[in-house]
Amino acid sequence: MDFMTSNHSVEFAVSEDVVPYEAAVAFMEARARAIRDEGASELLWFLEHPPLYTAGTSARESDLRDATRFPVFDAGRGGQYTYHGPGQRVAYVMLDVGARGRDVRAFVQSLERWVIETLESLGIESGPREGRVGVWVDRDPVGDMAREDKIAAIGVRLKRWVSFHGVSLNVQPDLEHFSGITPCGISDPRYGVTSLRDLGLDMSMVDADKAFAQAFEHTFASTLTPVHAPRFD
């Protein structure tokens, strides 16, 4: 059984208020344990964070250009430094990868396909790039120099075959906020960061969510069931 051969029921929550990063991580870890040990439902959770930087397990200190600008958190996921903030849709995926084929590579490729299919439905051509994690779009060249920009980051962690963390899609964040880090450790001037708005698609988060959720159901052979989002008062 893999990601595309059997239908799964996945709970789906959307947080309307920004969610503190540490609270989100604690919730994900608890939910992942419950999925593994108690048979809790898988969960797709859409949210936004306040402006912050996170460091993955491969993060280099030199890639944190401004350590005082925003809070910095050790994410414990794969990858390097990334930015989260308002206008960016963070999608945390708590899935039982053990019940979906036990293939980590296929899982990560499915996350990529999910983003690519979402963007395709919005009229944007995108794809993965060899040696560079995430999803990228081609941009107009500057002189003789080809350009590509990253529109979505991917960073996941698995514990006992249950995933958490996930994907961040740039809908309409302040792209200047990325300047405090070297995003994902890529400093080559040919490669930057973009968003739906930067590409000329000025859409609401609600409309972006619809496309993102529909593509998830197809990519992960799952039916989403809306539930109340966790609260952090």
Side-chain angles (χ1 to χ4, degrees), residues 186-226:
I186 299 172
S187 58
D188 191 315
R190 294 175 297 172
Y191 309 135
V193 180
T194 190
S195 67
L196 296 183
R197 174 176 285 176
D198 185 49
L199 294 173
L201 196 58
D202 198 2
M203 66 190 311
S204 70
M205 189 70 77
V206 171
D207 288 338
D209 284 350
K210 289 178 182 178
F212 213 15
Q214 289 173 356
F216 179 91
E217 289 187 310
H218 178 259
T219 303
F220 288 92
S222 299
T223 300
L224 293 177
T225 301

Side-chain angles (χ1 to χ4, degrees), residues 107-150:
F107 174 51
V108 174
Q109 289 174 340
S110 293
L111 293 172
E112 291 176 342
R113 287 199 306 272
W114 171 28
V115 176
I116 293 165
E117 183 173 322
T118 300
L119 295 172
E120 183 178 12
S121 73
L122 300 175
I124 296 173
E125 183 177 353
S126 65
R129 298 293 187 267
E130 186 68 30
R132 287 182 271 136
V133 178
V135 176
W136 298 75
V137 297
D138 292 329
R139 305 303 301 269
D140 292 334
V142 176
D144 295 330
M145 185 173 68
R147 291 179 56 224
E148 297 175 9
D149 284 348
K150 189 173 191 176

